Amino acid sequence: MSNRLRKETSPYLLQHADNPVDWFPWCEEAFAKAQAEGKPIFLSIGYSTCHWCHVMAHESFEEKEIADILNKYFISIKVDREERPDIDAVYMEVCQAFTGSGGWPMSIFLTPGQKPFFAGTYFPAKPRYGMADFRSLLLNIAAQWGQEKEKLIASAQQVTNALQQKSCTSDGSVNTGLAKQAAQLFAESFDVKHGGFGTAPKFPTPHNLYFLLLYAHLNKDHTALQQALVTLEAMRRGGIFDQVGYGFSRYATDDAYLVPHFEKMLYDNALLIIAYCAAYKACGKKEFLRTAEQTAEYVLREMANGDGAFYSAQDADSEGEEGKFYIWECGEIRRVLGPEKGDAFCSYFGMSEQGNFEGKNIPNLLNGNAIEDGFDAERKALYRFRQARSSLHLDDKILTSWNALMVTALVFLYRVAGQRKYLLEAERAQRFLNRCLMDGVQLYAVYRNGKRGAKGFLDDYAFDAAALISLYEVSGQAGYLTRAEALCKEACRQFEDKDGGFFLYGTQHSQLITQPKECYDGAMPSGNSVLAYCLVRLSQLTTDNRYQQEAKKQLAFLSAQAAHYPAGYSMFLTALLYDAYPPQKITVVLAKPDTAETVLPRLPLYADVQILDTPVDGYTLLNEQTTFYVCKDFHCLPPSNTIS
């Protein structure tokens, strides 16, 4: 038996296509049926590599008794949060209002008019964890709907009214002191013992670390620098980094970064490549560059679709158990590597007969052993052995915003490593986006099996404009800059709010009960923050004064939003720093045998670079050697054969 989800392309929806629940995708048919039959709606939002989404599916949605209750009393709708971030954003705010927190799976009960009257996240099939069981909850809500429908409808209207009354406004001023305030807030929450900020669970939030590195560079702040470097080293040493196959998991469940939530997301790994590249340029430690390269190796090996694009995520679960794919017994290690090498590997990577995680082992370097470990051959053997285990589920949809992040990450890696293969992969990925997820200046948010999904949201435009700007910065190809300008102008047309800022969804989308305007940086930077960065960079890279005006307006809007807690807006603060401290401009005239690949790693990361293969008017060779022309702080320095 299958339900209506069988015709969908989302991996998450397809995972539920054989449930006995009569699921609908988000569609007018579902709401019309609810209205006609006078039933409430059960809305379930999640994503395909979500561990607790799997648990609730197995416990409840695959069980006939619970499915019968849902089918009798409710119209049930499934939504993939990654395909429809607009729906997710609206009802996440609802969930947080009802419960004080949020997460996935998200469980929302609505009127036929899409208005919420009850919300939560995971509900167990049987009472435990001090929580009501899902069966009883459904029966209670069904009874209330039958007996007090008008009361629930009135309650839902009150909730909706409260959401609609929230507004984001600005007094028009840019607060340049917010970056310093944020650095102080990070310092106050820094975990001196383990690295990172606050307590478990610890998410990587690499954009916070990139902000700290940039702030430290511009303000000569050693404290901010060390906080970022210590955190990045701790993550590389911990189990949150896959010591065998590379790449980072979504977050650590403990303070020391030993035990991860084992799913791997494309966006985390892209952002972490950027952060590790910046850390390498900040301190020169090769292990940071190596970590960035290893992370890229993982993505290119396991997340690439073969046609230039990148898939979304790998699951945490295998054979119904979270992390089973990644953990080891010492006996397994010895069988693969032999007794002597096996014992050496276990000792080096903090593994024992007793185990460090539920009786088994997560390889790690938290014992202080060198990150450059010399176990490459052993690691490859263990990787091959691990690949023979039951395979992990791969969420193979292609998201525009996440792929654009990966383009930017590969450009960063090319810039610091000087290896042209990274630039070629970035250009290839951007060509895929141009070909499969663009129609003129119209973006689409998702692509799978030859089909485009929803039209693009703010994040898609902002992240891809940023990717195009990064490609222009290293290639000098005007087409990238022109395309970035077109996307920013289209974003302004579709999403701009006359009262300031940009809505998540715009004129190309159907209206929901509210129109979110996301400004806070969560696991990913917000579209508003990234667009602020794009507008600032376009004001610096072009001669169009309109970008400067638009940038100032957006920086002022975000200044007002960030005032209550600036550490939650690190990508906006990065844009603010770029605006306050324009990067120096470096023009390089190459002499043989130098190439862009040999010169780029010698240049500062925080700089606008133009590389000329041959001399042109005004830019000639000095002493017949590669020559650097540097302009900063509103003046230009004499040409030089060295760069500091």
Side-chain angles (χ1 to χ4, degrees):
M1 169 183 161
S2 61
N3 52 50
R4 292 169 181 81
L5 302 184
R6 177 57 61 194
K7 297 179 181 179
E8 299 299 307
T9 59
S10 159
Y12 177 61
L13 269 55
L14 289 171
Q15 285 172 344
H16 295 82
D18 292 320
N19 291 170
V21 178
D22 188 17
W23 291 113
F24 284 80
W26 184 274
C27 61
E28 288 303 319
E29 181 188 359
F31 301 115
K33 186 175 176 64
Q35 190 71 52
E37 298 182 6
K39 290 181 177 180
I41 291 167
F42 169 61
L43 171 64
S44 176
I45 303 176
Y47 58 102
S48 78
T49 58
C50 165
H51 170 72
W52 287 102
C53 298
H54 298 330
V55 173
M56 191 166 178
H58 296 323
E59 290 180 347
S60 296
F61 303 145
E62 294 173 5
E63 290 298 317
K64 186 176 185 303
E65 180 186 5
I66 288 179
D68 287 345
I69 296 171
L70 283 167
N71 295 341
K72 182 176 181 180
Y73 297 110
F74 300 88
I75 299 299
S76 300
I77 297 177
K78 263 286 175 196
V79 167
D80 183 337
R81 65 168 292 258
E82 294 166 353
E83 287 200 344
R84 291 301 304 267
D86 54 338
I87 298 170
D88 180 65
V90 167
Y91 292 106
M92 179 60 73
E93 189 173 7
V94 169
C95 186
Q96 290 169 339
F98 271 95
T99 68
S101 62
W104 302 276
M106 200 193 314
S107 303
I108 315 288
F109 293 86
L110 314 174
T111 69
Q114 305 179 17
K115 296 173 182 177
F117 60 84
F118 186 78
T121 52
Y122 163 78
F123 292 100
K126 298 178 181 178
R128 66 178 188 273
Y129 312 127
M131 302 167 65
D133 65 283
F134 191 52
R135 177 183 177 278
S136 297
L137 177 69
L138 292 175
L139 291 173
N140 286 338
I141 290 177
Q144 287 184 50
W145 185 263
Q147 298 162 13
E148 301 178 303
K149 180 190 297 186
E150 296 307 316
K151 184 177 178 180
L152 290 179
I153 290 174
S155 170
Q157 186 62 55
Q158 288 180 336
V159 172
T160 303
N161 289 344
L163 293 172
Q164 291 172 341
Q165 288 169 6
K166 294 183 70 173
S167 62
C168 302
T169 58
S170 165
D171 64 6
S173 62
V174 177
N175 187 344
T176 56
L178 289 172
K180 183 177 181 180
Q181 293 176 35
Q184 291 171 341
L185 287 167
F186 281 121
E188 290 167 7
S189 65
F190 181 65
D191 183 342
V192 177
K193 183 178 180 181
H194 300 293
F197 303 89
T199 58
K202 286 184 173 177
F203 289 78
T205 49
H207 37 296
N208 292 351
L209 302 173
Y210 183 79
F211 158 72
L212 284 172
L213 290 166
L214 181 58
Y215 179 83
H217 169 70
L218 294 173
N219 293 276
K220 306 297 185 286
D221 188 320
H222 183 72
T223 299
L225 174 63
Q226 287 306 305
Q227 288 166 1
L229 297 180
V230 167
T231 299
L232 287 163
E233 181 171 341
M235 288 194 296
R236 173 59 180 82
R237 289 182 172 280
I240 192 174
F241 182 77
D242 180 357
Q243 305 289 341
V244 171
Y246 306 144
F248 286 86
S249 295
R250 184 163 170 252
Y251 62 86
T253 62
D254 65 327
D255 287 336
Y257 292 107
L258 172 63
V259 182
H261 177 46
F262 290 90
E263 67 182 312
K264 292 178 179 176
M265 315 299 290
L266 178 64
Y267 66 82
D268 280 325
N269 284 280
L271 287 165
L272 282 160
I273 289 170
I274 294 170
Y276 279 96
C277 285
Y280 167 65
K281 293 299 286 188
C283 70
K285 289 186 177 180
K286 286 290 181 66
E287 54 260 39
F288 288 133
L289 175 58
R290 184 73 182 121
T291 301
E293 292 182 305
Q294 289 168 338
T295 305
E297 180 182 332
Y298 155 73
V299 172
L300 292 166
R301 182 183 64 227
E302 298 195 29
M303 303 289 277
N305 80 333
D307 197 22
F310 301 98
Y311 298 132
S312 295
Q314 279 183 323
D315 210 328
D317 295 13
S318 57
E319 299 180 30
E321 184 178 331
E322 183 183 3
K324 185 175 182 179
F325 181 83
Y326 292 103
I327 57 179
W328 299 85
E329 294 177 343
C330 287
E332 285 181 301
I333 302 289
R334 286 192 287 268
R335 284 196 297 274
V336 176
L337 302 181
E340 184 176 344
K341 289 184 178 180
D343 284 341
F345 189 92
C346 288
S347 175
Y348 201 90
F349 285 92
M351 302 163 68
S352 67
E353 297 297 335
Q354 296 75 31
N356 56 34
F357 173 70
E358 298 180 354
K360 295 189 178 181
N361 289 281
I362 301 169
N364 69 91
L365 291 169
L366 293 170
N367 53 19
N369 285 336
I371 290 174
E372 294 297 329
D373 50 66
F375 282 96
D376 288 348
E378 290 80 3
R379 184 183 286 105
K380 289 176 182 176
L382 292 171
Y383 176 81
R384 289 192 296 270
F385 176 85
R386 195 177 71 179
Q387 288 300 100
R389 296 173 173 174
S390 59
S391 61
L392 297 168
H393 166 67
L394 176 70
D395 185 330
D396 61 355
K397 67 177 178 291
I398 294 162
L399 296 170
T400 297
S401 57
W402 297 12
N403 271 258
L405 260 182
M406 194 62 207
V407 170
T408 303
L410 289 166
V411 170
F412 263 72
L413 194 47
Y414 167 63
R415 192 160 177 173
V416 301
Q419 294 191 40
R420 190 167 180 78
K421 64 180 180 180
Y422 297 126
L423 176 61
L424 295 176
E425 291 289 353
E427 292 174 329
R428 189 165 175 245
Q430 186 59 51
R431 286 196 298 272
F432 183 97
L433 295 179
N434 295 348
R435 183 172 67 252
C436 298
L437 284 147
M438 287 187 185
D439 184 2
V441 292
Q442 172 70 61
L443 285 178
Y444 290 81
V446 62
Y447 181 91
R448 185 173 184 270
N449 288 348
K451 296 181 180 179
R452 295 167 171 169
K455 289 185 177 179
F457 301 97
L458 173 63
D459 292 14
D460 299 301
Y461 285 84
F463 282 73
D464 198 34
L468 289 160
I469 289 170
S470 72
L471 283 166
Y472 170 74
E473 289 173 336
V474 294
S475 71
Q477 294 184 26
Y480 288 131
L481 190 62
T482 301
R483 190 69 181 170
E485 290 187 77
L487 289 183
C488 285
K489 289 174 182 175
E490 182 66 11
C492 291
R493 188 187 72 80
Q494 286 194 38
F495 307 105
E496 191 168 17
D497 178 12
K498 61 180 176 58
D499 294 325
F502 295 85
F503 294 116
L504 175 60
Y505 70 85
T507 58
Q508 302 296 307
H509 301 92
S510 58
Q511 293 294 301
L512 303 174
I513 60 169
T514 63
Q515 195 168 13
K517 193 189 295 180
E518 296 188 324
C519 303
Y520 185 88
D521 293 334
M524 287 177 63
S526 72
N528 268 282
S529 293
V530 176
L531 193 57
Y533 168 83
C534 292
L535 292 169
V536 168
R537 296 299 289 131
L538 289 176
S539 76
Q540 295 167 342
L541 295 169
T542 73
T543 58
D544 192 335
N545 291 330
R546 288 177 300 174
Y547 293 124
Q548 189 170 20
Q549 296 167 7
E550 289 291 334
K552 292 295 185 187
K553 185 167 67 172
Q554 181 68 352
L555 293 176
F557 169 76
L558 288 171
S559 289
Q561 313 317 311
H564 70 288
Y565 184 66
Y569 297 79
S570 57
M571 187 63 212
F572 151 62
L573 298 177
T574 296
L576 194 63
L577 290 174
Y578 267 86
D579 185 66
Y581 302 90
Q584 61 183 318
K585 297 183 182 297
I586 303 175
T587 300
V588 185
V589 185
L590 296 175
K592 294 180 180 180
D594 282 340
T595 64
E597 288 71 33
T598 61
V599 169
L600 273 172
R602 294 155 54 189
L603 301 178
L605 190 58
Y606 191 67
D608 287 335
V609 175
Q610 180 184 29
I611 296 182
L612 304 175
D613 292 323
T614 56
V616 297
D617 289 344
Y619 296 102
T620 58
L621 291 174
L622 177 67
N623 302 321
E624 299 303 314
Q625 299 176 33
T626 291
T627 305
F628 302 91
Y629 292 80
V630 179
C631 296
K632 60 181 179 179
D633 300 329
F634 307 105
H635 69 281
C636 295
L637 303 176
S640 173
N641 295 130
T642 61
I643 187 77
S644 57

